[in-house]
Amino acid sequence: MKVMKFGGTSVGKPERMHQVAQLITKDNEAKIVVLSALSGTTNTLVAISDSLATGKRENAKQKIDELEAHYRNFVKELVVTEAARAKANAVVTEHFEFLNIILKISFSEALNKDILAQGELMSTKMFSVYLEEKEIDHMLLPALEFMSIDANEEPNLSAISQKLSALLQQNAAKKLFITQGYICKNARGEVDNLKRGGSDYTASLVAAAIHASVCEIWTDIDGMHNNDPRVVDKTVPIDVLSFDEAAELAYFGAKILHPTCIWPAQQTNVPVKLLNTMQPEAKGTTIQENVSEEGPKAVAAKDGIIAINIKSSRMLLAYGFLRKVFEVFEKYKTPIDMITTSEVAVSVTIDSDAHLAEIIKELEPFGTVELDKDQTIVSIVGNELTHTADAIKKVFDALAPVPVRMVSYGGSKHNISILIPASYKKQTLQLLNKGVFGL
Ligand code: ASP
Ligand code: MG
């Protein structure tokens, strides 16, 4: 059995949905198809929710009406028969009735999550109506019946696996299942989600839960590229990446994949393929356990980084200093991305300023604390970088004109990370493209 996930742009137009139907019926392997909301929908739902949270009901109502008009038009082109149009319109009516009802009730976090869930619920149901019109045998599998997160907001793979296997067993005769990405139930039994872009995560969790033969992520680009196509002119798709490399790239900024979505596939060794709906024959990128090729494969950048430097002569020859520093970040649940140390100072980077003031206040008794905001982490990712003789030379030769603030090398075999002022990002990515990849 395989998993195929289609993102927002892959289902964002009626003709794209038609194309998805073709792609999922190309072979006879049983499959679970995970769909995102139509492109733009989740953003609009977020805006509706924000309007409601700030008491701007008129504003929310206007957005709901505009969104509904979009869906009504979509239905017209999605299906042609009277019966199918009536069914698809009934789906739209049901969900917009809900959105109109919430205009009248008081806003809460639980309600916010309900609002955000509407996009995936509608896209899957509408797609199901289309498949029915085309007489493609399938079954809609409600994600809320098997996808769940625990009290720490983490998905529990074995719980998901148990529920999903039971559902599949009950419907053993079916070969095609359609389900929602992104949405889930939380530990309180309420509707929740796997955070923005979480449909990839759904796909990977489903693939892991059923030990799928492959987890295909269909998007609008022909795989993971060696550099950011929005910043540099020439980029090339990468054929094969290891799970570790892909995880680093996704975490450090490659937008094509949700950063947390690698671990479930990795844990169960299900290969992940990144494919292009607009160009289905393109090879794409395969992410798997082992790769043979050595050397740098890609560069990714993560913006909005804050560097914190703590300098103290008390750190000299002392032990336990770092623990005290890290405990502060732990207390405020703020993950650290990069670390460098010298005998008397330590620099760390974080990507959230949510608790910055408190963190600084608690670090100050340890020494002098300095902050650099507006920084960017640039990660050069590849296989066995530490064993590739000239990898680090190429990187630093290329970066000669850039004021590098921090360097992290040796922490993993497949990553060299540098911290630079955000204003140097474009130049850095271009220089690396030329110096490291010869592009
Ligand atoms: N629809 C959700 C979002 O836009 C989830 C996803 O598409 O991955 O964030
Ligand atoms: Mg996405």
Side-chain angles (χ1 to χ4, degrees):
M1 198 165 200
K2 73 173 175 179
V3 172
M4 296 174 86
K5 177 257 169 177
F6 294 88
T9 43
S10 301
V11 292
K13 288 191 176 142
E15 65 264 31
R16 299 256 163 84
M17 268 202 186
H18 299 163
Q19 209 182 341
V20 169
Q22 278 177 7
L23 288 170
I24 63 173
T25 48
K26 261 193 180 158
D27 61 54
N28 284 325
E29 189 173 356
K31 47 186 77 81
I32 300 185
V33 174
V34 177
L35 298 187
S36 285
L38 313 194
S39 51
T41 297
T42 312
N43 284 344
T44 306
L45 293 171
V46 168
I48 291 168
S49 215
D50 286 350
S51 296
L52 283 176
T54 49
K56 297 180 195 131
R57 269 160 217 274
E58 294 283 304
N59 210 311
K61 173 70 180 149
Q62 193 189 337
K63 290 188 185 108
I64 292 171
D65 289 346
E66 279 166 19
L67 192 65
E68 179 169 356
H70 178 67
Y71 275 77
R72 298 287 176 202
N73 281 329
F74 196 97
V75 167
K76 276 186 217 152
E77 285 176 46
L78 179 67
V79 284
V80 288
T81 60
E82 277 295 292
R85 281 202 181 149
K87 263 195 184 163
N89 272 315
V91 169
V92 177
T93 302
E94 177 198 339
H95 290 276
F96 281 91
E97 258 171 22
F98 170 78
L99 287 173
N100 277 295
I101 287 170
I102 54 133
L103 279 174
K104 300 188 188 99
I105 48 185
S106 61
F107 186 81
S108 67
E109 197 37 42
L111 193 63
N112 172 41
K113 301 286 174 59
D114 271 321
I115 296 172
L116 298 182
Q118 302 307 307
E120 272 70 12
L121 291 170
M122 281 198 284
S123 66
T124 46
K125 289 185 191 174
M126 285 160 59
F127 185 59
S128 170
V129 173
Y130 174 67
L131 293 180
E132 211 178 291
E133 181 181 55
K134 288 277 157 194
E135 296 180 340
I136 298 169
D137 189 40
H138 70 283
M139 188 187 154
L140 206 52
L141 211 53
L144 297 177
E145 282 181 21
F146 63 86
M147 192 54 72
S148 57
I149 48 174
D150 61 21
N152 293 319
E153 305 200 335
E154 295 293 341
N156 178 332
L157 192 51
S158 66
I160 295 166
S161 183
Q162 265 178 20
K163 286 187 216 146
L164 184 54
S165 306
L167 283 172
L168 293 177
Q169 251 166 35
Q170 284 160 26
N171 300 286
K174 293 277 176 198
K175 294 203 87 181
L176 178 60
F177 297 91
I178 314 295
T179 194
Q180 299 86 19
Y182 179 59
I183 63 173
C184 62
K185 283 266 176 84
N186 64 26
R188 296 181 296 279
E190 302 156 347
V191 173
D192 210 316
N193 61 61
L194 300 174
K195 312 251 161 65
R196 291 306 306 275
S199 291
D200 293 346
Y201 202 10
T202 302
S204 173
L205 286 163
V206 168
I210 62 165
H211 292 272
S213 60
V214 60
C215 175
E216 296 180 353
I217 309 272
W218 290 81
T219 62
D220 52 2
I221 177 166
D222 55 345
M224 183 97 81
H225 278 226
N226 78 302
N227 205 329
D228 190 336
R230 291 161 306 178
V231 181
V232 301
D233 291 337
K234 187 152 193 264
T235 62
V236 288
I238 311 163
D239 284 352
V240 187
L241 281 170
S242 68
F243 286 119
D244 289 334
E245 291 169 331
E248 305 240 21
L249 282 173
Y251 184 71
F252 287 113
K255 288 284 173 303
I256 182 170
L257 208 57
H258 190 278
T260 47
C261 94
I262 304 288
W263 75 260
Q266 181 166 22
Q267 216 173 59
T268 47
N269 201 5
V270 176
V272 176
K273 281 192 165 189
L274 306 179
L275 297 158
N276 187 353
T277 322
M278 268 53 104
Q279 221 182 307
E281 332 67 46
K283 210 162 149 205
T285 299
T286 303
I287 303 167
Q288 60 191 38
E289 177 91 58
N290 292 311
V291 295
S292 49
E293 223 177 298
E294 290 189 1
K297 288 197 190 131
V299 177
K302 189 174 178 196
D303 298 314
I305 304 292
I306 303 161
I308 305 172
N309 183 268
I310 307 118
K311 197 171 149 203
S312 167
S313 48
R314 269 183 293 153
M315 192 177 160
L316 191 69
L317 301 175
Y319 47 84
F321 182 83
L322 287 176
R323 179 178 49 79
K324 285 187 216 147
V325 168
F326 290 147
E327 269 170 2
V328 174
F329 291 90
E330 189 181 344
K331 181 170 167 192
Y332 293 102
K333 293 189 173 163
T334 302
I336 293 171
D337 283 331
M338 269 176 89
I339 314 167
T340 55
T341 61
S342 81
E343 191 48 52
V344 291
V346 53
S347 271
V348 301
T349 70
I350 57 175
D351 66 1
S352 155
D353 60 5
H355 299 286
L356 189 58
E358 295 114 299
I359 289 172
I360 302 293
K361 201 162 162 231
E362 295 212 20
L363 289 174
E364 265 163 355
F366 301 152
T368 318
V369 180
E370 274 172 21
L371 272 192
D372 283 309
K373 290 189 177 177
D374 262 330
Q375 305 285 303
T376 294
I377 295 177
V378 174
S379 273
I380 298 98
V381 172
N383 186 26
E384 300 290 347
L385 284 184
T386 39
H387 291 171
T388 317
D390 60 347
I392 195 152
K393 177 176 187 306
K394 278 189 181 165
V395 168
F396 285 103
D397 282 350
L399 292 179
V402 180
V404 176
R405 162 76 173 75
M406 277 167 76
V407 178
S408 175
Y409 174 69
S412 91
K413 288 180 198 161
H414 25 254
N415 180 319
I416 303 170
S417 287
I418 56 162
L419 187 73
I420 53 163
S423 55
Y424 280 86
K425 170 178 159 179
K426 187 167 181 187
Q427 191 187 357
T428 302
L429 293 187
Q430 283 168 339
L431 288 169
L432 290 170
N433 216 37
K434 205 157 175 231
V436 177
F437 300 101
L439 292 169

